[in-house]
Amino acid sequence: MSQPKVLLLGPPGAGKGTQSSNVVDEYGVDHVTTGDALRANKDMETDHGTPREYMEAGELVPDPVVDEIVRAALEDTDGFALDGYPRNLSQAEYLDDITDLDLVALLEVDREELMARLTGRRICDGCGSNYHVEFNPPEESGVCDGCGGELIQRDDDDDETVRERLDVFDENTQPVVDYYDDEGELVRIDGHGTPDEVWEALHEEIEAAT
Ligand code: AP5
Ligand code: MG
């Protein structure tokens, strides 16, 4: 069987990164995530300025920059978990042109829960592992269980920027959700359960689709 090609859609904090890790562990596919790629290249000079200025305001980085990241990342993959892209209709059309998908899954979580998840999230400065001060705490506060690295807060996880990111999702990315829904390709997954419960539902959908 070829490796699954899974697109994870969902608002900021829905658990796209968390569930992508499960897809990667289960199927050995690549995690293609524009957010992580941009964070690793925040000060890269582009024709449109640096990613940092957009990201720290909670705004979308211009399409040519992210389209190229995804094109290059998908070029040599068999299967993948794609997370954070497409975020507007023009990106969705670009993606259509460069790959096909086995599953488009939307993780649905209400806004109040998203705020709590994002403002409490902590990331390992060393290996990038994902924690939450309340929902997924490390054994020792502020220290990564896996590599012992320091846990830090993402620059865009403050209250005001989180609100802006959620508004940007409603305005720009909800049309992408509707686009896949209209095509009959969208599978909705309740993202409110524990990470394991959400994974169980997602895993079933991937198995059914491949
Ligand atoms: P990006 O990095 O993609 O951020 P995002 O979409 O805002 O999503 P997050 O990473 O914040 O959330 P997530 O869904 O991955 O949730 P997670 O698993 O971490 O993008 C950042 C910025 O980059 C954008 O604002 C934009 O500027 C730019 N950008 C990126 N892609 C772009 C594109 N295509 N076009 C233009 N610009 C782009 O979980 C969140 C927290 O909740 C964690 O602490 C986790 O431990 C916890 N958690 C997860 N699941 C559960 C659960 N089931 N129960 C309880 N807690 C949970
Ligand atoms: Mg993420």
Side-chain angles (χ1 to χ4, degrees), residues 6 12-13 18 31 34 36 40 57 68 84 86 90 95 102 104 108 110 119 123 126-127 131 140 149 182 199:
V6 179
T18 302
H31 184 193
T34 44
D36 287 0
E68 177 53 24
S90 117
L95 183 65
D102 294 314
V104 182
E108 295 188 294
D110 66 46
T119 52
I123 305 289
C127 69
Y131 295 87
E140 186 185 339
D182 291 347
W199 168 235

Side-chain angles (χ1 to χ4, degrees), residues 3-208:
Q3 300 286 64
K5 297 177 177 176
V6 179
L7 170 58
L8 285 172
L9 291 175
K16 303 181 297 294
T18 302
Q19 296 305 328
S20 291
S21 298
N22 289 325
V23 179
V24 169
D25 290 348
E26 177 77 15
Y27 297 102
V29 294
D30 290 339
H31 184 193
V32 177
T33 161
T34 44
D36 287 0
L38 291 166
R39 270 184 291 282
N41 295 286
K42 265 193 167 176
D43 295 314
M44 169 180 70
E45 290 294 344
T46 75
D47 292 346
H48 310 272
T50 64
R52 178 185 294 278
E53 49 203 85
Y54 299 94
M55 297 174 82
E56 290 185 356
E59 304 297 336
L60 296 184
V61 173
D63 292 343
V65 179
V66 286
D67 288 347
E68 177 53 24
I69 289 172
V70 172
R71 190 200 58 73
L74 294 187
E75 201 166 43
D76 295 320
T77 53
D78 183 5
F80 52 79
L82 178 57
D83 149 17
Y85 182 98
R87 269 176 139 93
N88 60 31
L89 282 175
S90 117
Q91 293 178 17
E93 284 160 12
Y94 184 82
L95 183 65
D96 265 355
D97 287 342
I98 59 172
T99 190
D100 51 355
L101 299 165
D102 294 314
L103 181 70
V104 182
L106 172 67
L107 301 177
E108 295 188 294
V109 178
D110 66 46
R111 195 171 173 119
E112 201 182 328
E113 170 81 8
L114 295 170
M115 289 294 304
R117 285 188 187 179
L118 290 170
T119 52
R121 172 169 53 192
R122 298 292 181 273
I123 305 289
C124 175
D125 202 17
C127 69
S129 291
N130 204 326
Y131 295 87
H132 190 280
V133 288
E134 192 184 337
F135 307 140
N136 180 23
E139 279 167 29
E140 186 185 339
S141 174
V143 179
C144 179
D145 295 343
C147 76
E150 185 191 357
L151 301 188
I152 57 167
Q153 188 164 28
R154 244 168 68 173
D155 289 337
D156 59 350
D157 275 349
D158 64 284
D159 208 77
E160 191 190 337
T161 314
V162 164
R163 283 178 206 285
E164 178 60 25
R165 286 161 57 204
L166 292 169
D167 289 346
V168 166
F169 177 87
D170 289 343
E171 194 178 320
N172 295 274
T173 315
Q174 188 56 45
V176 174
V177 172
D178 298 339
Y179 169 83
Y180 288 111
D181 207 8
D182 291 347
E183 301 281 310
E185 287 186 55
L186 189 77
V187 169
R188 293 172 187 273
I189 291 180
D190 182 0
H192 290 98
T194 64
D196 285 349
E197 285 166 350
V198 177
W199 168 235
E200 198 179 322
L202 176 61
H203 186 214
E204 262 178 39
E205 294 293 350
I206 297 173
E207 289 293 305

